[in-house]
């Protein structure tokens, strides 16, 4: 049996998937990064390896996310790609004619515009907390409502209230004000979903040609209230994939599969034994020129095995 490994290393979560030869998900893991990407990836791979068929052979590995280079070196990735590419590839695999990918994660949000399967435009928001999943988490906690029930309550609303959504501080203040006025919680939550979508479309989606088919992915896509708010605002159907929470990892696995199949090369995957190896990352600022590059180094059992982050060849390993 053959499989492909995809790993998405973000600041909040780490997603790991095993794909079969058709690109379908065999196994998946969603883990919190906890500021320890190497340790969490190693533990995730160890847990995953114990639950796989004995005859499974990993034929290719891809990494993406903000920690893609770091983890790519450790696992021996065949492809290392940015999040925009990985998410677009995954969305296209599930909805082949997709033209717009909406994504809202824990700390950021993105929009990707595709035409004929090619990314032609994109935008990211990493500044405004009012448009991210962490803000929803905070509000659910403040209201004492499990985040998994947030969307269901929003759908029960019969008279949603308008919540100021341009800033997380204003939004929270407005929600408290609406509670004090006596509005019921379902209407306030529905208003918050609408505000988050309005914020997203006015900031991340500003000036973008949003056409259907539209795919909505990322952790927040599990919230049915946000999905409905997007459909109401865009006046069209929005598709949420079954594995919407690990789409980056799926895209990374698909890219590795494509590379291996096209090149005919053997994978560079270092094997499951990497889960027991001691890796140490470090960095320093190069003062060799005005670029002042931050050079990242990683050592395996004390031996320097990789270095990146610089713009010239001064720090190439020989």
């Amino acid at each position: 049996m053959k499989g492909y490994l995809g790993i998405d290393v973000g600041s909040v979560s780490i997603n790991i998937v095993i794909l079969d030869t058709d690109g379908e998900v065999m196994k998946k893991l969603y883990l919190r990064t906890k500021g320890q990407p190497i340790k969490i990836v190693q533990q995730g791979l160890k847990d995953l390896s114990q639950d796989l068929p004995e005859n499974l052979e990993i034929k290719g590995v891809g990494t993406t996310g903000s920690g893609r280079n770091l983890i790519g070196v450790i696992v021996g990735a065949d492809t290392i790609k940015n999040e925009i590419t990985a998410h677009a590839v995954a969305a296209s695999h599930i909805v082949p004619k997709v033209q717009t990918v909406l994504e809202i994660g824990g700390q950021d949000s993105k929009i990707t515009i595709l035409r004929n399967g090619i990314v032609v435009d994109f935008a990211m928001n990493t500044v405004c907390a009012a448009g991210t999943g962490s803000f929803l988490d905070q509000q659910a906690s403040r209201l004492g409502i499990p985040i998994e029930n947030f969307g269901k309550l929003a759908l029960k609303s019969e008279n949603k209230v308008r919540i100021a959504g341009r800033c997380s501080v204003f939004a929270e203040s407005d929600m408290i004000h609406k509670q004090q006025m006596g509005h019921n919680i379902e209407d306030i939550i529905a208003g918050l979903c609408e505000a988050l979508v309005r914020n997203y479309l006015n900031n991340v989606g500003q000036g973008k040609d949003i056409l259907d088919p539209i795919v909505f992915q990322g952790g927040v896509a599990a919230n049915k209230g946000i999905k409905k708010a997007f459909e109401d605002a865009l006046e069209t159907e929005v598709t949420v994939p079954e594995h919407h929470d690990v789409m980056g990892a799926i895209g990374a696995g698909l890219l590795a599969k494509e590379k291996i199949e096209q090149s005919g090369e053997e994978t560079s995957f270092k094997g499951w034994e990497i889960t027991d190896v001691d890796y140490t990352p470090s960095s320093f600022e190069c003062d060799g020129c005005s670029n002042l590059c931050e050079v990242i180094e990683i050592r395996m059992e004390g031996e320097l095995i990789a270095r990146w982050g610089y713009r010239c060849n001064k720090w190439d390993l020989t």
Side-chain angles (χ1 to χ4, degrees):
M1 182 181 292
K2 299 175 182 177
Y4 296 88
L5 178 61
I7 306 174
D8 182 1
V9 186
S11 57
V12 174
S13 66
I14 291 173
N15 310 319
I16 306 174
V17 300
I18 301 287
L19 305 179
D20 64 18
T21 52
D22 293 324
E24 300 304 313
V25 175
M26 298 169 62
K27 297 286 182 182
K28 72 173 185 179
L29 281 180
Y30 180 95
L31 306 163
R32 292 286 182 179
T33 305
K34 299 178 180 177
Q36 305 176 83
I38 297 176
K39 181 179 178 182
I40 297 300
V41 167
Q42 286 181 303
Q43 186 60 52
L45 291 176
K46 179 176 285 186
D47 294 343
L48 203 59
S49 65
Q50 294 170 356
D51 193 32
L52 293 173
E54 290 185 3
N55 63 343
L56 180 71
E57 181 184 3
I58 297 299
K59 300 297 290 184
V61 183
T63 60
T64 187
S66 57
R68 59 186 180 273
N69 289 309
L70 173 67
I71 300 303
V73 169
I74 290 174
V75 300
D78 301 296
T79 61
I80 299 175
K81 296 289 184 180
N82 62 56
E83 304 97 299
I84 297 295
T85 301
H87 279 270
V89 166
S92 296
H93 177 69
I94 292 166
V95 180
K97 295 183 180 178
V98 61
Q99 297 201 91
T100 306
V101 179
L102 314 173
E103 187 203 346
I104 303 180
Q107 295 290 329
D108 60 20
S109 51
K110 311 179 189 72
I111 186 169
T112 306
I113 306 298
L114 298 96
R115 296 293 181 265
N116 299 315
I118 297 172
V119 175
V120 296
D121 196 7
F122 71 92
M124 297 178 66
N125 168 33
T126 58
V127 177
C128 180
T132 66
S134 61
F135 179 63
L136 283 180
D137 281 340
Q138 290 170 9
Q139 297 313 310
S141 176
R142 189 181 65 80
L143 295 170
I145 298 170
I147 187 64
E148 57 269 23
N149 294 339
F150 224 60
K152 298 174 188 172
L153 286 172
L155 295 182
K156 292 180 179 177
S157 170
E158 295 181 353
N159 185 30
K160 63 188 170 194
V161 298
R162 183 176 179 85
I163 301 292
R166 295 191 64 182
C167 166
S168 60
V169 176
F170 292 153
E172 181 170 328
S173 174
D174 206 17
M175 287 176 66
I176 293 171
H177 177 61
K178 294 298 192 302
Q179 284 179 271
Q180 292 170 337
M181 289 176 66
H183 290 285
N184 69 48
I185 205 70
E186 290 86 354
D187 292 339
I188 293 173
I189 292 174
L192 178 62
C193 291
E194 184 184 73
L196 188 146
V197 167
R198 190 168 62 246
N199 177 291
Y200 177 96
L201 294 174
N202 288 337
N203 290 284
V204 186
Q206 186 176 33
K208 304 302 179 190
D209 192 15
I210 300 175
L211 300 178
D212 57 13
I214 299 172
V215 171
F216 177 28
Q217 53 199 43
V220 175
N223 187 315
K224 295 180 180 178
I226 299 291
K227 176 179 181 288
K228 184 175 187 305
F230 267 124
E231 291 180 331
D232 290 345
L234 298 172
E235 298 181 338
T236 189
E237 183 182 357
V238 171
T239 299
V240 174
E242 178 184 358
H243 303 294
H244 59 83
D245 53 339
V246 295
M247 293 293 277
I250 292 174
L254 290 170
L255 286 161
K257 176 176 178 288
E258 180 182 64
K259 181 181 179 183
I260 293 297
E261 289 180 345
Q262 289 183 353
S263 67
E265 298 173 353
E266 293 293 322
T267 180
S268 300
F269 181 46
K270 295 180 179 177
W272 302 110
E273 53 270 26
I274 61 171
T275 58
D276 295 319
V277 176
D278 180 31
Y279 294 98
T280 308
S282 61
S283 67
F284 64 90
E285 185 177 271
C286 173
D287 58 1
C289 72
S290 60
N291 286 327
L292 299 176
C293 296
E294 181 183 12
V295 182
I296 312 295
E297 293 182 331
I298 184 162
R299 287 176 165 78
M300 181 181 73
E301 308 286 356
E303 179 186 354
L304 182 64
I305 61 169
R307 186 185 280 148
W308 68 89
Y310 48 95
R311 301 183 185 182
C312 63
N313 59 0
K314 178 177 180 179
W315 299 104
D316 286 351
L317 296 178
T318 56

